[in-house]
Amino acid sequence: QAAVDAGTFTSGYEHFVLYGAAEGRASGGSETPSTGGTFSLTAGVDQADTTGSFKNGGLIESDFAFGSADDVVTASAGTLNNTDVLADGSSNDMDTLNATMTGGAVVTTSLTNIENINLNVLTAGSGLSFASVAGTNNVSVTGSANASLTNITSATAPNIELNSYNSTATISLTTLAGTAAAGTAEALTLSLNGTGALAAVDLDSANAGSEVLETLNLESAGGTANTISLTSTGTLNNAIGGIDKHVVTGDTDLTIRAAAGLVNNEEIDASGLEGELTLNADFNGAAGLNATNFTGVSSYVARDSVAGGDGVNLFNIANDSTVTFADDFGAASTITVAGAAAGDSDSVSLVLDNDAATAADVDLTGLTIHNVENISIESTGAPTTGAAGDQQNSTGAISADSVESLTITGDSDFSGSLVVLAAEAGDITVNASAATGDVTFDASTVANTATGTRAVEITGGTGDDVFTSAAAAVATTLAGGDGDDTFIVAAGDVNDNITDFVNGDVISVTAAAANQAAFFNGFDSAVINNAGQATIEAAATVSAAAVAAATAAAGFGTAANEALAFSYQGNQYVFINDAADATVDGTDAIVQVTGLSDSSTFDAGTFLI
């Protein structure tokens, strides 16, 4: 027993801590044990345990032995082999194996109580079988090539960390006996750190039959957002097998990429994630994705990996979620919000942004959104040049049975239309004032409600917008904003209002209009005199006022395709008349216009029939 004579020490020592070489963490003390030894593997047979070691089949002497300290084993390229045996008798230390994998094959090294395994995979197919591995707590995978981890027993599976890893890791599990009806609580934990580009994980079971991994734990850490792609090429990817529950924790944003069918109707619990969870789902061939059992998922990305007639059927997402369409979808799509009901204030945000390497637009073949009052659409990513039809994002017809507010933003051109059930009451606002791309929006199928009238207001942004007003009986207010805008009003319409009409804008009756209407009165030779104006003011309706104006303007109605400006009860109107008459019929239109004056001048084509 050693003794310490403190009388030989100089002044200044007040505290002393004494411990033996065999003591340390296992004894409960906070002191750090002495540094362990190091053992470098060779291309031959290497073995080490607590009694000693040898290298290269005994041809190289070694005095290394595993102890209670933290030992380190280093395996350079090609030196971790099937015949190597590393066995530490202690599970209370933190031994580490650092191995560079270049062989292109899975090795079956025997490892006992090597608590940390760090694999740097540089050649595709390289990896480690865990058939003869016991007592390992953590496995870290780095490198630039596809890795393979096989024969992992779920009951004793280590934590697997993908650390700055952007390739595919195939993880094959054994002893999965669970089924959808009777699980046995198998679990696997993946920790993600620095997988911003893409870490792909193919989960599979080595056993035949339909099996279930009950819980997949995903921990997202690090300074940048992580992305993981989950696939299953075997028994975990069928109607009976699968992953029952995904538990997501950590403090960093995470994106999970998966086929919609792999997570459909499963449970995702991200309530413990401090960052944001995005589910990037491939709807290729998928009947749909039911998010009823999702918690903490607020963002979705919809993809179609093989172009075709697929649609996005996304059901029971959380209120105020964001859905990004990253591909074209050739079939109609449907989105529902969990718990949404008519009369609530539910919201959905849509983003149109193709994720193709070369900028391309996103085209949807119609979209139905049930019981959602507030819808926003961001149009971005589309090219500004290219073939016709490949320059703007499009939703097709949006069937929104409860919409009250539709907001359009973004820097890419956008085209869409709105279908609202007549049974739904309420006014509708379409606000594209923050859009910098050209917006084409058609509300012509929006009719009055089943029990009364409704009002529709459409506002444009800085682009050259094209707005089609609601049905003739619906009072529609149109504001183009900046740009040269086109306002298409319904034939027979007499109650629309254009609030910011300027030179360069166009009023058209029906989208197929092609004839310019000669502009009359105040801007040409015919002037309505005071007596004629008095007759106009005495009219009972705006239609009667238009007839009075047509009569008062000498020469109007003698030719087809004429436009007449007149004032009525303090407001300005344009009467667009398609025939050589002075009557208002179902092929004409009367539009209230703000911005006209006696000094206004207009370019050719301003008024169209």
Side-chain angles (χ1 to χ4, degrees):
Q1 181 174 1
V4 178
D5 183 1
T8 62
F9 293 179
T10 58
S11 61
Y13 291 92
E14 298 180 354
H15 302 282
F16 299 91
V17 177
L18 303 179
Y19 57 90
E23 296 178 327
R25 250 184 301 244
S27 65
S30 61
E31 301 81 11
T32 301
S34 58
T35 303
T38 59
F39 187 58
S40 299
L41 304 187
T42 70
V45 178
D46 302 307
Q47 295 187 7
D49 56 22
T50 57
T51 62
S53 62
F54 65 81
K55 298 182 178 182
N56 199 25
L59 298 178
I60 300 176
E61 294 184 2
S62 173
D63 58 1
F64 172 82
F66 283 106
S68 60
D70 298 345
D71 298 309
V72 176
V73 179
T74 300
S76 58
T79 63
L80 187 66
N81 299 311
N82 296 337
T83 54
D84 295 336
V85 177
L86 303 173
D88 183 15
S90 171
S91 60
N92 293 319
D93 51 13
M94 294 295 286
D95 301 321
T96 300
L97 167 63
N98 297 315
T100 299
M101 312 296 290
T102 59
V106 176
V107 297
T108 57
T109 308
S110 177
L111 305 172
T112 303
N113 292 333
I114 309 299
E115 286 78 13
N116 300 310
I117 299 176
N118 301 320
L119 302 178
N120 183 22
V121 182
L122 303 180
T123 303
S126 301
L128 178 64
S129 168
F130 284 76
S132 299
V133 176
T136 295
N137 300 325
N138 301 286
V139 176
S140 174
V141 182
T142 60
S144 56
N146 296 348
S148 183
L149 307 179
T150 66
N151 297 306
I152 295 177
T153 302
S154 59
T156 58
N159 175 75
I160 299 174
E161 179 180 1
L162 304 179
N163 193 351
S164 299
Y165 182 75
N166 297 312
S167 296
T168 298
T170 299
I171 300 175
S172 181
L173 303 165
T174 64
T175 67
L176 282 176
T179 66
T184 54
E186 291 99 349
L188 180 70
T189 297
L190 300 177
S191 296
L192 311 172
N193 190 338
T195 61
L198 180 63
V201 175
D202 180 27
L203 292 172
D204 195 9
S205 171
N207 297 333
S210 299
E211 299 177 316
V212 172
L213 176 66
E214 271 72 29
T215 303
L216 176 63
N217 298 306
L218 298 173
E219 180 185 7
S220 181
T224 58
N226 293 301
T227 300
I228 184 171
S229 176
L230 293 176
T231 59
S232 178
T233 55
T235 58
L236 292 181
N237 189 20
N238 55 48
I240 301 175
I243 303 171
D244 272 354
K245 184 176 183 179
H246 302 71
V247 178
V248 184
T249 59
D251 56 6
T252 304
D253 292 351
L254 174 65
T255 295
I256 298 176
R257 293 172 63 100
L262 191 64
V263 291
N264 180 39
N265 281 318
E266 304 293 1
E267 182 177 358
I268 297 179
D269 182 1
S271 58
L273 178 67
E274 296 181 19
E276 179 177 300
L277 176 61
T278 298
L279 180 59
N280 187 316
D282 184 0
F283 283 84
N284 179 53
L289 174 57
N290 192 334
T292 298
N293 298 319
F294 293 179
T295 302
V297 183
S298 59
S299 297
Y300 297 83
V301 176
R303 295 177 292 115
D304 185 12
S305 58
V306 180
D310 294 301
V312 176
N313 293 305
L314 184 55
F315 306 119
N316 296 314
I317 64 176
N319 183 39
D320 205 25
S321 293
T322 298
V323 180
T324 298
F325 292 88
D327 285 310
D328 292 344
F329 286 92
S333 300
T334 300
I335 295 175
T336 65
V337 172
D344 294 340
S345 184
D346 300 300
S347 300
V348 168
S349 297
L350 309 177
V351 179
L352 305 178
D353 185 8
N354 199 313
D355 66 357
T358 302
D361 64 357
V362 172
D363 296 315
L364 307 183
T365 307
L367 176 62
T368 298
I369 303 179
H370 288 301
N371 291 330
V372 173
E373 286 74 21
N374 305 297
I375 302 171
S376 67
I377 299 173
E378 180 185 0
S379 177
T380 187
T384 55
T385 60
D390 194 34
Q391 298 175 309
Q392 65 179 5
N393 294 319
S394 172
T395 58
I398 303 173
S399 180
D401 51 15
S402 296
V403 66
E404 298 173 358
S405 172
L406 177 62
T407 303
I408 302 169
T409 62
D411 55 4
S412 294
D413 294 352
F414 170 77
S415 175
S417 61
L418 185 62
V419 178
V420 180
L421 299 179
E424 297 294 334
D427 298 341
I428 299 172
T429 299
V430 180
N431 186 353
S433 60
T436 56
D438 297 343
V439 176
T440 300
F441 194 81
D442 186 346
S444 60
T445 61
V446 178
N448 279 322
T449 70
T451 57
T453 60
R454 82 164 92 232
V456 174
E457 181 178 348
I458 305 176
T459 304
T462 59
D464 297 337
D465 302 323
V466 178
F467 293 144
T468 301
S469 69
V474 178
T476 305
T477 300
L478 302 165
D482 295 334
D484 294 334
D485 305 308
T486 298
F487 306 100
I488 302 172
V489 297
D493 206 329
V494 298
N495 57 7
D496 284 355
N497 183 5
I498 300 174
T499 62
D500 62 347
F501 192 80
V502 296
N503 187 38
D505 292 344
V506 173
I507 301 176
S508 174
V509 180
T510 74
N515 300 321
Q516 178 185 353
F519 198 50
F520 241 72
N521 187 52
F523 312 97
D524 202 341
S525 57
V527 177
I528 297 176
N529 57 29
N530 291 337
Q533 187 62 41
T535 303
I536 295 171
E537 296 294 343
T541 66
V542 68
S543 295
V547 173
T551 302
F556 185 81
T558 59
N561 302 329
E562 293 180 323
L564 172 68
F566 66 94
S567 297
Y568 173 58
Q569 296 184 355
N571 298 314
Q572 297 170 305
Y573 295 87
V574 172
F575 171 29
I576 304 177
N577 189 22
D578 74 324
D581 57 31
T583 62
V584 178
D585 54 43
T587 57
D588 301 331
I590 303 170
V591 183
Q592 183 178 336
V593 176
T594 301
L596 295 178
S597 68
D598 289 345
S599 60
S600 296
T601 58
F602 295 94
D603 295 333
T606 297
F607 302 99
L608 302 176
I609 294 297

